[in-house]
Amino acid sequence: MSSHDLHSQYYSLIKDVFNKSDMNTVSVADVRNQLTEKTNEPFRQNRREINALIKKVYLEYQQKESLVVNTTASKVVTDKKSKVDQKKVMKATKKVTTEDKPKKTRVWPLVRLSPPLSDIVGTTSCARPHIVKKLWEYVREHNLQLPEHKATLKCDEKLKELCGGLETVSSFGINKHIQQFIHKIPEEELAKLQPMEE
């Protein structure tokens, strides 16, 4: 089966899996296993191709999240802007928001971060989605994605400390490295803090 056939057959299923997954802990194997459950396809023959497609969809998902934030910020148009500029902004907003379903709000408990993760994120406590968002902002700000394979990150000094001295790490693999720097806040202390909504 060609990569184009795989893309057309499994792309929407992979997106659906990502939409229902915790992006902090999801892995290529998790997504592939869920695909196997949905399709009864073991993916023995084309495992590399399906893994590459999963990574591609993951990057698109991350870039879409970044684009939504940027588009929302540029959505505010002043009265001095022309109608043409307003139409361009509205078209960009429509392209990003593909679904008109109301977004479900989930309350995420705060967690405590220890260095070096707290140094990268810029805070010592926050919700898990905020950790991923700030980590990706750091990666993009410091241009740490390999140009030829954006799913692989080259580690600067802070990321090396976070990832146990590795020179490169996959965008999926970084999730397992950050877990050791995330600590649950005790219930009595958590009750005093305000939960964050995603």
Side-chain angles (χ1 to χ4, degrees), residues 86-141:
Q86 289 177 0
K87 286 181 182 178
K88 286 180 184 176
V89 169
M90 294 309 291
K91 279 185 181 180
T93 305
K94 284 181 184 176
K95 287 178 185 175
V96 172
T97 56
T98 56
E99 298 177 12
D100 292 333
K101 297 177 187 176
K103 187 175 180 181
K104 295 179 184 175
T105 302
R106 177 175 176 183
V107 177
W108 291 90
L110 296 177
V111 291
R112 182 159 291 124
L113 309 178
S114 59
L117 184 58
S118 62
D119 297 336
I120 292 171
V121 174
T123 186
T124 57
S125 65
C126 64
R128 286 182 184 267
H130 189 73
I131 296 169
V132 174
K133 178 182 173 187
K134 287 295 185 181
L135 185 62
W136 275 98
E137 284 177 9
Y138 179 84
V139 166
R140 289 187 183 102
E141 182 180 312

Side-chain angles (χ1 to χ4, degrees), residues 155-171:
C155 295
D156 64 356
E157 290 306 314
K158 287 184 180 180
L159 277 184
K160 279 184 187 176
E161 190 178 346
L162 183 75
C163 298
L166 296 174
E167 292 292 324
T168 60
V169 65
S170 77
S171 54

Side-chain angles (χ1 to χ4, degrees), residues 14-32:
I14 294 170
K15 280 183 69 173
D16 186 49
V17 169
F18 278 129
N19 287 333
K20 295 176 182 175
S21 297
D22 179 4
M23 295 306 286
N24 293 316
T25 59
V26 71
S27 69
V28 174
D30 293 337
V31 175
R32 193 179 58 247

Side-chain angles (χ1 to χ4, degrees), residues 5 29 32 49 54 60 65 78 94 105 113 119 125-126 142 149 162 175 177 182 187 198:
D5 294 337
R32 193 179 58 247
E49 292 84 5
I54 291 169
E60 289 174 5
E65 289 297 314
T78 62
K94 284 181 184 176
T105 302
L113 309 178
D119 297 336
S125 65
C126 64
H142 292 87
H149 192 251
L162 183 75
N175 288 328
H177 293 288
I182 299 173
E187 291 295 325
E198 169 66 8

